[in-house]
Amino acid sequence: MFITFEGIDGCGKTTQLNLLHKYLKDIGYNVLTTREPGSTPLAEKLRNVLLNMEYNISSVSEILMFEAARAELVDSVIHPAICRKQIVLSDRFYDSTIAYQGFGRQQNIDDIKLLNKITIREIIPNFTFLLDIPYSVSLERRFGSIDDRIESTGNAFYERVIAGYRSIAEEEPDRVKMIDATQSKEDIFHQIIQIVKPALPPI
Ligand code: Z5A
């Protein structure tokens, strides 16, 4: 089983992923967590470049680096873990590239979908939890932290990313479950569990 968490910065992905990880481990599942970009030595290096304010990266290079990081992660971590019947939870996956680079940076979405298809090797999440918050809440939750290269892009960009995520959820309602993430951590987690529990494989 493969579950991904999506949404704009500060939406609470990492919080919910950690809660689900603990819940599944406590009831006896073998769980692996990953993050994008990252979770392999090369992908972590690409992450450092992608988020670093020092670099002025073209939109096309940015897409290709996110896709390269994803290819590494799928081939060396996610695919083997799924073959071992582990439950894999990922903080972001290919929807991030559609939302951020496709909608946010206004790059060609069909081209991104093709690149995604090449990198994911037919690994589609069983569920994707889209934690939906307005940009103002993202700013409040990130108050005091230093913006990285992507976070510094600004308001209009983030409004497009949010709209992009919502349209992905509309397109694929069976996979992408949109949750109002302005609710409490506990209420959000309760909704996630209601969806995941009936679909869990036997231990
Ligand atoms: N990116 C991209 O552009 N294209 C791609 O293809 C991919 C990624 C894969 C990766 O950052 C960056 O790369 C990201 C998109 C881009 N943009 N930027 N920058 P990331 O995913 O590693 O980190 P992030 O998106 O910036 O998220 P984050 O800062 O780690 O936040 P989060 O995981 O969504 O939230 P959190 O850490 O769980 O919570 C943030 C704070 O809010 C924390 O203090 C919590 O205690 C609090 N919180 C959480 N939930 C709640 C609720 N329900 N109520 C109140 N407070 C809460």
Side-chain angles (χ1 to χ4, degrees):
M1 180 174 230
F2 181 35
I3 298 174
T4 59
F5 292 81
E6 295 280 356
I8 61 166
D9 323 43
C11 67
K13 296 174 279 89
T14 315
T15 302
Q16 296 300 325
L17 181 147
N18 290 338
L19 287 170
L20 185 59
H21 184 193
K22 182 176 180 331
Y23 172 89
L24 293 171
K25 266 186 81 174
D26 286 351
I27 57 174
Y29 286 99
N30 190 345
V31 190
L32 179 83
T33 66
T34 62
R35 69 169 181 178
E36 271 218 35
S39 296
T40 77
L42 177 56
E44 287 293 334
K45 286 217 160 77
L46 287 169
R47 179 188 181 89
N48 287 338
V49 173
L50 280 160
L51 300 186
N52 197 322
M53 289 291 264
E54 205 183 305
Y55 302 112
N56 190 3
I57 302 174
S58 79
S59 296
V60 173
S61 307
E62 184 178 274
I63 293 169
L64 294 173
M65 280 194 269
F66 278 118
E67 295 290 349
R70 178 165 310 127
E72 281 296 303
L73 177 64
V74 168
D75 278 356
S76 61
V77 180
I78 296 179
H79 184 254
I82 289 174
C83 291
R84 290 192 300 269
K85 307 267 183 250
Q86 279 184 289
I87 296 185
V88 181
L89 309 179
S90 188
D91 196 332
R92 300 193 180 281
F93 198 48
Y94 59 80
D95 295 309
S96 285
T97 321
I98 296 175
Y100 279 78
Q101 281 65 50
F103 285 87
R105 297 239 194 264
Q106 299 176 301
Q107 299 300 295
N108 186 294
I109 289 176
D110 288 335
D111 288 350
I112 294 174
K113 284 186 174 171
L114 177 62
L115 290 167
N116 281 344
K117 187 168 180 271
I118 294 167
T119 57
I120 64 174
R121 308 215 300 154
E122 297 181 1
I123 294 176
I124 309 267
N126 297 80
F127 296 114
T128 295
F129 292 105
L130 168 57
L131 303 182
D132 184 63
I133 52 166
Y135 183 51
S136 56
V137 174
S138 166
L139 288 177
E140 275 166 32
R141 290 192 189 163
R142 291 195 279 121
F143 182 75
S145 68
I146 299 167
D147 280 355
D148 61 37
R149 196 181 59 82
I150 289 172
E151 283 165 343
S152 66
T153 314
N155 193 348
F157 170 79
Y158 273 97
E159 292 300 349
R160 289 195 297 273
V161 174
I162 292 170
Y165 269 129
R166 289 178 183 164
S167 82
I168 295 170
E170 264 172 37
E171 244 177 58
E172 286 187 74
D174 289 343
R175 173 177 70 88
V176 184
K177 308 294 181 191
M178 186 163 99
I179 296 178
D180 171 4
T182 61
Q183 301 173 88
S184 72
K185 295 175 187 177
E186 295 74 20
D187 285 351
I188 296 167
F189 186 60
H190 179 72
Q191 286 162 58
I192 290 175
I193 283 299
Q194 296 298 105
I195 294 166
V196 170
K197 220 172 164 180
L200 285 171
I203 295 175

